[in-house]
Amino acid sequence: MIDYLIIGQGIAGTMLAYFFEERGVTFNIVDAVDYGLAKNNSPTLLTDQLAHPFHGASNVSTGIINPVTGRRFVKSWMIDSLFPFAEKTYRAIEQKLQTSFYKKTKLYRTIPDQKAMNDFLLRLDDPDYQPFFSNNTNFKPDEKHINLTKKGITIKQVAKVNVLQLLRQYRNYLLKKGNFVQTNLDYHQIYPKDKHVEVDINNRKKEKFKRLVFCEGYRVKNNPFFNFLPFTGSNGQTLIIQAPQLQLDYLLKSGIFVIPIDNEQYQIGTTWDWDIYEPKITSEAYDKLISKLNALLKIPFSVVDHQAAVRPTIKDRRPVLGRHPKHPTIYLLNGLGTKGVSLSPYFALQMVHFLVDRTPLLKEVSINRFFSK
């Protein structure tokens, strides 16, 4: 009997698979990715295509790890532990796959108003924040290409993860090992028992697993095992533009993010619409992003793509990990939100400790916070 079945190969499911393998436990992972038939029928070539039928947030993620966020320049929750562990994990995966998807960089962001400037000056004098702010006060984006109307600052200790590349290459690795199953698994195909779970995968004979872990992102809202949780959906939209003259090698935020990808392309975002549970591309978001781009850039650009994805959000903005209250073989790892690339390595490992070693979860992330009052 295989130890674990993971449902969903976004950033959470991928990290969980990585740490399962590091611990030597057996697992399979299921995802509904559908790339069509490879030319030579080789399953390892399925990862050469980009489409994903459910537009999960991981597939269009900006992939930024930013230690200081918001208008008040507040350190991200647990960032002193999360950042070094995320970097260690991503570097180890790069070595494992013989690839490169993780890059240390910096972020230049403009300060929108005087209140934000006052908050920044307060942080600048705080020893806990000083490692994150650059001493190079002379650095400034090239004003021949970028129209800056406000003062700005440089945040260092920032990282960019090419999430799509990570997911595709890890899926390729799992395919070669025989751990990946491409299918859209229906909930009625899952039969939880007291000591194992039976799953009807691809209408074959039921397969038995000791435990099942849902890592399915926003689709949790329709999951009959966990639809009691107060998740809401937010629809995020980004653009991919081509701008050969821009030549940025850092991240820029001035009303919108401008994030270098490759081939002179940049990801622009993000707009958010709340309480939406299916990915939706809108002309309003497109026009809003184009308007801000036209105000920010002095050079020509062309739109290559307009993307949308839904991420699950929860009121306290903390991950949700743990066991179903009635089914002892059904588990959840979800709710990573906008900081998924920084949170997922740390809490995927916590989930492994919880499952394998029975180590208690942090109260802030335990699913028990929603039903043990």
Side-chain angles (χ1 to χ4, degrees):
M1 187 188 305
I2 295 174
D3 293 324
Y4 295 96
L5 179 65
I6 305 169
I7 307 295
Q9 198 244 325
I11 191 69
T14 299
M15 291 297 104
L16 191 60
Y18 170 72
F19 286 114
F20 274 157
E21 186 171 26
E22 290 294 292
R23 281 299 299 268
V25 299
T26 58
F27 69 92
N28 277 348
I29 186 165
V30 169
D31 197 295
V33 64
D34 184 4
Y35 297 120
L37 189 64
K39 290 182 180 178
N40 65 353
N41 295 328
S42 169
T44 62
L45 294 182
L46 293 175
T47 56
D48 290 343
Q49 305 300 319
L50 294 178
H52 192 286
F54 298 127
H55 302 281
S58 293
N59 292 279
V60 297
S61 168
T62 58
I64 298 171
I65 302 179
N66 182 8
V68 181
T69 62
R71 294 174 67 91
R72 298 186 62 193
F73 298 91
V74 177
K75 280 172 65 173
S76 298
W77 175 65
M78 286 186 63
I79 196 63
D80 293 322
S81 298
L82 296 175
F83 201 143
F85 187 76
E87 180 168 30
K88 178 183 176 182
T89 301
Y90 291 131
R91 293 297 191 202
I93 295 174
E94 285 183 324
Q95 178 105 21
K96 182 187 187 82
L97 302 182
Q98 292 297 290
T99 189
S100 177
F101 56 80
Y102 178 86
K103 180 183 179 182
K104 293 289 287 289
T105 185
K106 60 188 174 185
L107 166 65
Y108 184 88
R109 60 169 290 187
T110 54
I111 301 177
D113 51 40
Q114 188 57 49
K115 184 178 185 308
M117 176 63 80
N118 293 341
D119 288 330
F120 165 67
L121 293 174
L122 284 173
R123 307 298 184 206
L124 199 57
D125 291 331
D126 188 332
D128 285 342
Y129 282 78
Q130 287 172 359
F132 301 113
F133 297 120
S134 173
N135 294 323
N136 183 5
T137 57
N138 295 321
F139 174 77
K140 197 174 184 182
D142 188 346
E143 294 191 68
K144 291 186 298 183
H145 299 153
I146 299 168
N147 181 34
L148 295 175
T149 59
K150 296 180 173 68
K151 293 181 179 179
I153 55 105
T154 302
I155 300 174
K156 55 184 183 178
Q157 302 293 339
V158 175
K160 169 74 172 71
V161 178
N162 187 330
V163 178
L164 185 57
Q165 181 181 339
L166 164 61
L167 299 186
R168 292 170 67 195
Q169 294 197 0
Y170 211 91
R171 186 179 297 119
N172 194 43
Y173 170 78
L174 293 170
L175 279 162
K176 290 177 180 178
K177 288 179 64 68
N179 295 120
F180 183 85
V181 180
Q182 187 273 310
T183 188
N184 180 14
L185 193 66
D186 237 28
Y187 298 113
H188 71 262
Q189 295 170 268
I190 299 169
Y191 307 89
K193 309 296 181 182
D194 287 341
K195 294 186 178 181
H196 68 273
V197 56
E198 296 180 1
V199 183
D200 183 4
I201 299 178
N202 287 332
N203 296 313
R204 303 195 302 248
K205 180 181 177 181
K206 290 190 183 76
E207 297 183 40
K208 293 182 180 180
F209 302 86
K210 292 180 181 178
R211 302 287 185 270
L212 182 150
V213 186
F214 285 105
C215 303
E216 57 187 342
Y218 80 95
R219 297 188 78 211
V220 67
K221 191 67 180 176
N222 299 318
N223 186 327
F225 295 103
F226 291 105
N227 58 9
F228 65 89
L229 293 169
F231 281 106
T232 60
S234 54
N235 184 58
Q237 298 182 60
T238 65
L239 300 179
I240 305 297
I241 67 165
Q242 189 97 25
Q245 297 178 41
L246 191 51
Q247 299 296 308
L248 282 188
D249 61 356
Y250 57 90
L251 311 182
L252 172 65
K253 184 180 182 185
S254 184
I256 51 175
F257 267 110
V258 180
I259 304 163
I261 307 174
D262 53 25
N263 299 322
E264 300 175 336
Q265 292 185 353
Y266 299 84
Q267 188 174 20
I268 310 299
T270 305
T271 67
W272 291 106
D273 298 300
W274 306 99
D275 296 322
I276 294 178
Y277 300 99
E278 293 296 330
K280 184 179 181 182
I281 288 173
T282 67
S283 59
E284 291 84 1
Y286 180 93
D287 292 343
K288 182 178 181 180
L289 291 171
I290 291 294
S291 175
K292 290 188 175 184
L293 264 177
N294 284 330
L296 181 62
L297 300 184
K298 298 179 180 179
I299 55 174
F301 63 88
S302 59
V303 177
V304 176
D305 198 9
H306 182 187
Q307 302 174 327
V310 174
R311 64 173 170 83
T313 61
I314 210 149
K315 190 173 182 180
D316 61 10
R317 299 186 180 182
R318 297 288 181 261
V320 184
L321 286 69
R323 188 177 69 180
H324 191 279
K326 294 182 179 178
H327 299 295
T329 57
I330 302 291
Y331 293 77
L332 181 73
L333 170 57
N334 206 315
L336 301 177
T338 57
K339 296 180 171 61
V341 289
S342 60
L343 293 168
S344 56
Y346 188 92
F347 285 106
L349 181 58
Q350 297 303 304
M351 190 70 178
V352 171
H353 288 323
F354 175 66
L355 289 163
V356 179
D357 306 320
R358 299 186 180 180
T359 303
L361 296 164
L362 289 176
K363 290 182 179 179
E364 296 99 316
V365 304
S366 173
I367 195 174
N368 292 343
R369 70 189 191 267
F370 297 106
F371 50 79
S372 60
K373 300 294 183 184

